[in-house]
Amino acid sequence: MTKPKKIGILTSGGDCAGLNAVIRAATEAAVGRGWEVVGLRNGHLGLLNTPPDVVPLNADNLRGDMLRAGGTILGTTTKGDPFAYPGPDGKKTDRSGDVLAAIQGLGIEALVVIGGDGSMRLFDRLLSPGNIPWVGVPKTIDNDVPGTEFAVGFFTAVEIAGQALDRLATTAASHRRIMVLEVMGRDSGYIALFAGIAGGADVILMPEFAYDLDAVAAHVRRVTHDRPSPVLVVVAEGLKRPASERREKSSIGDAISAELQKRTGFDSRCTVLGHLQRGGTPVMFDRILGSAFGARAISLLAAGENRRMVAWRGGRVSDIPTTDVTSGPSFVGADSQMMRTARRLGIYVGEGPAA
Ligand code: F6P
């Protein structure tokens, strides 16, 4: 492949903290090579506009607080599948060719796609027919992108959830209550596990592992010596609902809280953290990861690489083929280091892999 002279950068999927650090680093690195950089707005959606919704990226619009700013200056989307794009009449049409045509029409020779595993799958499918080289940068608070130990945005979410536990701990202590914190993560328990360890949780319930409410209640009674005491429980949003809890409208955290109150006799309350985990200023590690990933993405394109995703592996920035990523989300391993850590700390983390 010839080295590109004009590249596009876009963010795709749910936002998180640290995206702007990636955009900034990739732009700096590309501009430093004398390339022209175009920001594509709102993921693939801006490419379906007439004219395409794009913004030039250069040293001027990178200055200021970009590194510190949450969200994404380019906007993003989780909607409008280009292979089944909903029209005004609700009819779905394949507009993937229009996305490709817009990229080619803009004279963009290569792309940096900042997204989760779903976005990697989407762009692999979108760009392959046009043979447009691209490099992916993994981001998601869920940390469920295969092939990388950490994705941009994860540690900010862990920080927010850990700080929430710090605050819940003092009110839990004052009232001798169980405090349940429900965190995001989709079908993975990474946020729950890391924040639970950092925030001193007694119980961490994750979708990957089966749990038994009687065993959880027994664990709570054991750590409290059977007297009302502060107890911190972290529940991942993707956890399966207990069979005994039929209030489908309550959140999973509420359901677990109600069951634990019933089974222990201790007062229990639930907090659902929600999108707070995605917003605001990125923590330093997300800025470091974002900066290193953005710069590496450009080095890969400069080396003529295509269909690679940058990754954090064994404490280093590395890269892997996108075909290793498109197989779907990754999950917390039963024998992973942090699971072993949690067990050694005496935290209840379930009864073993979920069926
Ligand atoms: O994938 C990121 C994430 O925040 C998940 O943790 C959560 O389940 C989902 O997105 C929420 O999506 P939305 O912002 O569309 O409600």
Side-chain angles (χ1 to χ4, degrees):
M1 186 199 113
T2 54
K3 293 186 176 98
K5 305 241 167 23
K6 182 174 182 179
I7 65 159
I9 300 180
L10 63 84
T11 43
S12 173
D15 78 334
C16 61
L19 296 174
N20 290 325
V22 183
I23 297 167
R24 174 181 179 265
T27 304
E28 288 279 12
V31 168
R33 290 178 184 272
W35 300 355
E36 188 183 340
V37 185
V38 178
L40 312 181
R41 287 200 210 259
N42 305 327
H44 63 278
L45 289 186
L47 292 166
L48 292 173
N49 276 18
T50 314
D53 194 357
V54 298
V55 56
L57 293 175
N58 51 51
D60 287 342
N61 50 28
L62 291 181
R63 294 179 68 82
D65 286 336
M66 184 140 161
L67 187 61
R68 277 166 270 283
T72 160
I73 59 156
L74 295 177
T76 188
T77 186
T78 52
K79 296 200 166 23
D81 178 357
F83 292 95
Y85 194 79
D89 55 356
K91 245 183 75 193
K92 296 191 170 159
T93 50
D94 183 352
R95 296 203 59 194
S96 57
D98 296 336
V99 174
L100 211 51
I103 294 169
Q104 284 159 340
L106 288 162
I108 290 171
E109 296 157 288
L111 270 185
V112 175
V113 174
I114 309 164
D117 68 297
S119 301
M120 299 299 155
R121 260 194 304 281
L122 175 67
F123 279 88
D124 211 39
R125 208 174 147 202
L126 270 174
L127 300 174
S128 290
N131 205 21
I132 298 174
W134 70 284
V135 168
V137 174
K139 65 84 217 170
T140 168
I141 63 165
D142 305 336
N143 204 39
D144 60 353
V145 183
T148 184
E149 284 153 32
F150 302 123
V152 174
F154 171 60
F155 276 101
T156 302
V158 168
E159 180 74 28
I160 307 286
Q163 284 180 10
L165 287 171
D166 285 354
R167 288 178 185 277
L168 290 173
T170 63
T171 171
S174 306
H175 289 270
R176 299 164 303 285
R177 274 176 174 159
I178 298 172
M179 285 289 182
V180 175
L181 177 69
E182 181 185 316
V183 298
M184 281 186 164
R186 213 175 282 271
D187 298 320
S188 299
Y190 289 104
I191 300 176
L193 180 60
F194 279 63
I197 289 172
D202 302 289
V203 175
I204 304 174
L205 301 180
M206 294 159 273
E208 290 90 339
F209 307 105
Y211 63 98
D212 177 279
L213 281 169
D214 289 327
V216 179
H219 178 81
V220 166
R221 286 210 201 85
R222 197 163 47 247
V223 297
T224 58
H225 305 289
D226 221 0
R227 281 193 303 275
S229 319
V231 175
L232 294 177
V233 177
V234 182
V235 173
E237 64 173 355
L239 191 73
K240 215 166 138 222
R241 190 166 282 270
S244 50
E245 212 340 305
R246 303 252 170 256
R247 296 179 307 159
E248 290 292 327
K249 288 212 172 80
S250 69
S251 77
I252 181 66
D254 270 317
I256 297 293
S257 175
E259 286 296 317
L260 289 182
Q261 178 160 313
K262 205 157 55 185
R263 283 162 208 253
T264 60
F266 299 172
D267 213 10
S268 182
R269 297 285 187 276
C270 172
T271 300
V272 180
L273 205 47
H275 290 79
L276 290 174
Q277 292 155 100
R278 290 215 326 230
T281 307
V283 297
M284 299 305 160
F285 188 64
D286 276 331
R287 300 183 204 185
I288 293 165
L289 207 56
S291 300
F293 278 0
R296 174 67 161 244
I298 299 304
S299 303
L300 288 168
L301 290 179
E305 296 283 0
N306 180 19
R307 300 179 80 198
R308 307 286 300 176
M309 185 188 82
V310 297
W312 184 263
R313 291 161 81 88
R316 303 188 51 203
V317 179
S318 172
D319 57 272
I320 57 174
T322 51
T323 42
D324 288 4
V325 183
T326 46
S327 54
S330 78
F331 301 102
V332 174
D335 199 37
S336 59
Q337 188 166 30
M338 284 304 136
M339 279 296 284
R340 291 203 303 273
T341 301
R343 283 193 288 263
R344 283 183 194 132
L345 288 168
I347 302 170
Y348 179 94
V349 284
E351 304 286 321

